[in-house]
Amino acid sequence: DTAVSQTPKYLVTQMGNDKSIKCEQNLGHDTMYWYKQDSKKFLKIMFSYNNKELIINETVPNRFSPKSPDKAHLNLHINSLELGDSAVYFCASSMRGSNYGYTFGSGTRLTVV
Amino acid sequence: SQELEQSPQSLIVQEGKNLTINCTSSKTLYGLYWYKQKYGEGLIFLMMLQKGGEEKSHEKITAKLDEKKQQSSLHITASQPSHAGIYLCGAEDSGGGADGLTFGKGTHLIIQP
């Protein structure tokens, strides 16, 4: 059983397109996140959602919008893709107040051409 | 948010040798996490440290958090090829398990046979 699953694993698209990356967790966690890892492997948080409320919103372009239909899902929608958006995007989840830490998905490699 | 400095940035070690990776912050670390990432894959949770002076071990990997909770070290004993990858330390701005993690820039570990 996959704890945090992301789809697709790879995504190649042209500049200007709109795309979505899906994330689902089956751990019963109440908070989910999106991270971006650049070409130098630097991992930086983009968003987090707790009980359908956005609680962290880092300085990312507003072309990026997280959407959470329920506690188990946090999708990332990207409008008007740019070359600089090429990166690996990781979804993660955690449970507030627990000591079990953060569980990460396996990542989505986005390439904008 | 805090900044985490990891050192060294990269490390080449002969198989069987011991090694240490450091993670330092100018602020108190609340919930210090160590992850390993194999090239092209997701993050694997290694250990979490919360208390000053805490030390945890799993197989040949030992992680410590200093008394001041501003520095953590990850020590690998008798390194093996399976230890190769990128090691990331991450920390929360405050304890709670759901604030997201700020990561260091990672340490690339190569094991030479």
Side-chain angles (χ1 to χ4, degrees):
Chain A
D1 289 343
T2 303
V4 179
S5 60
Q6 295 179 227
T7 53
K9 190 171 176 64
Y10 300 96
L11 182 56
V12 181
T13 187
Q14 290 186 327
M15 278 173 41
N17 285 350
D18 302 339
K19 290 294 179 184
S20 292
I21 306 172
K22 295 185 177 181
C23 179
E24 177 182 4
Q25 55 95 3
N26 62 5
L27 298 167
H29 286 170
D30 62 1
T31 308
M32 296 182 70
Y33 312 82
W34 278 105
Y35 287 80
K36 179 181 179 181
Q37 188 174 45
D38 61 24
S39 57
K40 295 184 178 180
K41 306 298 182 186
F42 185 40
L43 197 60
K44 189 171 181 181
I45 191 168
M46 299 175 71
F47 302 106
S48 75
Y49 253 78
N50 177 270
N51 291 328
K52 297 188 180 182
E53 293 185 18
L54 182 68
I55 58 174
I56 300 175
N57 188 348
E58 295 293 316
T59 54
V60 299
N62 57 15
R63 298 180 294 103
F64 291 79
S65 56
K67 295 190 188 329
S68 180
D70 55 56
K71 273 174 53 174
H73 297 84
L74 183 65
N75 304 323
L76 183 64
H77 189 75
I78 315 169
N79 289 326
S80 303
L81 278 155
E82 300 177 357
L83 293 176
D85 297 332
S86 296
V88 181
Y89 293 84
F90 286 97
C91 177
S93 70
S94 71
M95 188 71 179
R96 185 173 290 279
S98 82
N99 290 324
Y100 295 105
Y102 299 77
T103 304
F104 283 78
S106 57
T108 295
R109 182 173 294 275
L110 171 65
T111 303
V112 182
V113 297
Chain B
S1 61
Q2 60 187 302
E3 291 186 1
L4 297 177
E5 291 287 334
Q6 273 189 250
S7 62
Q9 286 186 341
S10 61
L11 191 55
I12 302 174
V13 173
Q14 195 170 16
E15 184 177 352
K17 298 294 186 183
N18 302 336
L19 64 104
T20 300
I21 299 168
N22 293 302
C23 178
T24 304
S25 173
S26 58
K27 300 180 182 179
T28 300
L29 295 167
Y30 293 99
L32 189 285
Y33 296 76
W34 283 101
Y35 287 87
K36 175 187 172 184
Q37 184 180 21
K38 289 191 174 182
Y39 295 100
E41 298 183 12
L43 276 67
I44 301 167
F45 171 73
L46 296 175
M47 272 169 274
M48 179 185 72
L49 304 165
Q50 288 183 305
K51 300 175 183 177
E54 188 174 8
E55 178 177 322
K56 289 185 178 178
S57 294
H58 177 67
E59 296 180 345
K60 294 186 178 181
I61 301 176
T62 300
K64 299 178 185 180
L65 183 61
D66 74 341
E67 289 289 345
K68 291 184 179 180
K69 294 174 64 176
Q70 288 186 304
Q71 183 172 7
S72 178
S73 61
L74 187 82
H75 184 78
I76 299 176
T77 304
S79 58
Q80 300 170 347
S82 61
H83 289 129
I86 302 169
Y87 288 81
L88 295 158
C89 66
E92 297 173 308
D93 284 343
S94 61
D99 292 331
L101 294 174
T102 298
F103 282 94
K105 293 191 176 182
T107 295
H108 294 240
L109 174 62
I110 297 172
I111 306 296
Q112 280 186 334

